[in-house]
Amino acid sequence: MASITQATSRCSLLGVPPEIIAEILAQSDSIRQLVPAIQSHRVFRDALNDQPHFITHSIIAAHIPPNALPFLVALLTSTRISPNNYPAVHTLIWTLAVTTSEAPKSLSQFAGNLSLSDYDFLFQNYATAEFLVGRMAKKSAPHGQHLSVATSRIVTHLTAGELPPDPSDSSLSAYQEEDRLRCDFFRMFAPSVNEQLLCVYAYLESEASEAFDFLVAHDVNWGELSISWDEDAFTCPYIQSILSRGLPFLRQVVCADTYDKKIRLLGPQHPKSINDGSYPFHQLCYMSLRGITLPPLGLKNGKPSLDSYALPQLQILRRTRDDPANSTASGPFHLWLGAHWSRSVFNSVISMRDRNLWDCGYVLWDNVNVNMTDIFRECDAPIPGNTIILRHRDTWLDEEDEDYEDPLRSQSRRTDISFMGGTGYWPSSGIDFSSIKGLSEGQKMRLLERWKKEDESSG
């Protein structure tokens, strides 16, 4: 009976017009969903071969908004550019500037023929950005606020973090050209929009820091490494290396909810070899405004504070390619302006005084009536310069705390375990060998005796 039904099903599919089969495939929830379909029957494979762009473009159009496509295509293109091919990088940035300054287009209007893996690249990166937007809204948003910035801004951050590639040419002219290209990229956007990228960065950094801190605080092999707990995340090569590996990798890190999953992804190893000038945070520093901003504003120098600007001058700061949601009448723009009201425009971008504001994503929320007082109250950070996202060190580096010595003692014990050949997870306080591998019972007894003597001598 089953064989007759299967045969009838195959005959039925063979009788369906190819354009209907193509329409069925175009309703897939993802590019990857096409794979089992074309493997199940040749009519699906033939339909994809006959109308690949119709099917893939339909899937992309159903799941990715047009204003995100230029950034995704630019990101895809950047993966194929040689580090020292500055003309190609310049062309990429110019193309991105053009496509983002015009009305949103469909993928077929500005992207050439792409392979199935290329379409999957676009889809997966956007899906990852959407996932992280949801996480960021839960982690950073003040109570009752909603994201106003399109998910494409996170894709923009990723593009900003990887464009242009780090050059292998160390000549002065190469560095000058690299600097110019990075500045050109950020100059496409208004200072208030670039501030949104910093808020997105702060969230991504917090996710990378959380995963890194967890392993450094608990993994035995990390215990023997020299880790400076006083090192900021934006200068830590390990954390910046995690961020430089792209959003799909960071999503894996975020979803790794157990020690075993985290260690498989981020086992003790040297960070990805990148020049510190190419750390994602350091690349964002290129958004600092330069003197080229003065003539359009009608200013002779950068001293006048923003509270002295007339509306036409504020409108000049907004770029034509910025999202309409970031107009001078928008809540995000008012919050940015209020945060820097008494400062020069040149001190309004990439200022570490604003770190607490980045952490709460203050220019990413859509309530026009929200004010700075509400933001600070919701984030419990009333003093500019304080951070609201605590690193692991911030939870125990208090010498007045009676448990202050526990993390330091844990690190010392992990070093002892590592020298004896043990591996695995160790708690930040107390003694628990249940997750340690590679030690005999005799070795465990010797360690316990040593630690007992150390505690007695220090007590």
Side-chain angles (χ1 to χ4, degrees), residues 162-230:
E162 296 189 352
L163 278 175
D166 185 38
S168 57
D169 185 351
S170 60
S171 65
L172 178 60
S173 60
Y175 280 121
Q176 290 173 335
E177 183 66 9
E178 181 191 11
D179 287 353
R180 184 182 67 81
L181 289 169
R182 286 175 173 165
C183 290
D184 286 348
F185 177 85
F186 289 112
R187 199 175 293 133
M188 292 193 297
F189 308 105
S192 58
V193 174
N194 281 332
E195 189 87 340
Q196 293 171 351
L197 269 68
L198 287 167
C199 292
V200 170
Y201 166 82
Y203 159 70
L204 296 178
E205 182 194 88
S206 73
E207 293 284 15
S209 299
E210 187 176 311
F212 171 75
D213 286 355
F214 176 84
L215 288 183
V216 173
H218 295 288
D219 183 65
V220 166
N221 287 332
W222 278 107
E224 66 166 321
L225 299 178
S226 177
I227 300 295
S228 173
W229 286 106
D230 293 326

Side-chain angles (χ1 to χ4, degrees), residues 54-70:
F54 165 74
I55 294 170
T56 51
H57 287 198
S58 297
I59 296 173
I60 294 294
H63 295 88
I64 302 178
N67 64 340
L69 289 173

Side-chain angles (χ1 to χ4, degrees), residues 433-446:
F433 284 101
S434 62
S435 298
I436 297 298
K437 302 175 183 178
L439 292 184
S440 66
E441 292 302 317
Q443 289 175 311
K444 294 177 185 178
M445 290 301 299
R446 288 197 294 274

Side-chain angles (χ1 to χ4, degrees), residues 75-119:
L75 180 58
L76 173 64
T77 305
S78 73
T79 64
R80 299 166 176 169
I81 293 178
S82 172
N84 294 318
N85 191 347
Y86 294 116
V89 175
H90 176 78
T91 300
L92 174 59
I93 293 176
W94 180 84
T95 302
L96 182 61
V98 171
T99 55
T100 54
S101 64
E102 300 173 346
K105 298 179 179 180
S106 65
L107 183 61
S108 60
Q109 290 178 287
F110 65 84
N113 293 336
L114 303 177
S115 68
L116 198 61
S117 62
D118 291 337
Y119 290 118

Side-chain angles (χ1 to χ4, degrees), residues 139 203-223 225-243 245 249-250 252-256 258-259 261-263 265-272 279 390-393 396 411 414 425-426:
K139 190 170 186 177
Y203 159 70
L204 296 178
E205 182 194 88
S206 73
E207 293 284 15
S209 299
E210 187 176 311
F212 171 75
D213 286 355
F214 176 84
L215 288 183
V216 173
H218 295 288
D219 183 65
V220 166
N221 287 332
W222 278 107
L225 299 178
S226 177
I227 300 295
S228 173
W229 286 106
D230 293 326
E231 188 171 30
D232 290 315
F234 58 83
T235 60
C236 174
Y238 293 96
I239 293 174
Q240 293 297 311
S241 176
I242 294 172
L243 292 170
R245 296 176 69 175
F249 178 78
L250 186 57
Q252 293 183 57
V253 172
V254 169
C255 292
T258 66
Y259 164 79
K261 293 177 181 178
K262 282 184 170 66
I263 198 64
L265 285 170
L266 304 171
Q269 55 189 334
H270 292 292
K272 178 184 174 184
Y279 288 174
L390 297 178
R391 294 284 304 279
H392 175 72
R393 66 178 184 214
W396 57 271
Q411 184 166 337
R414 283 184 288 136
Y425 174 91
W426 187 256

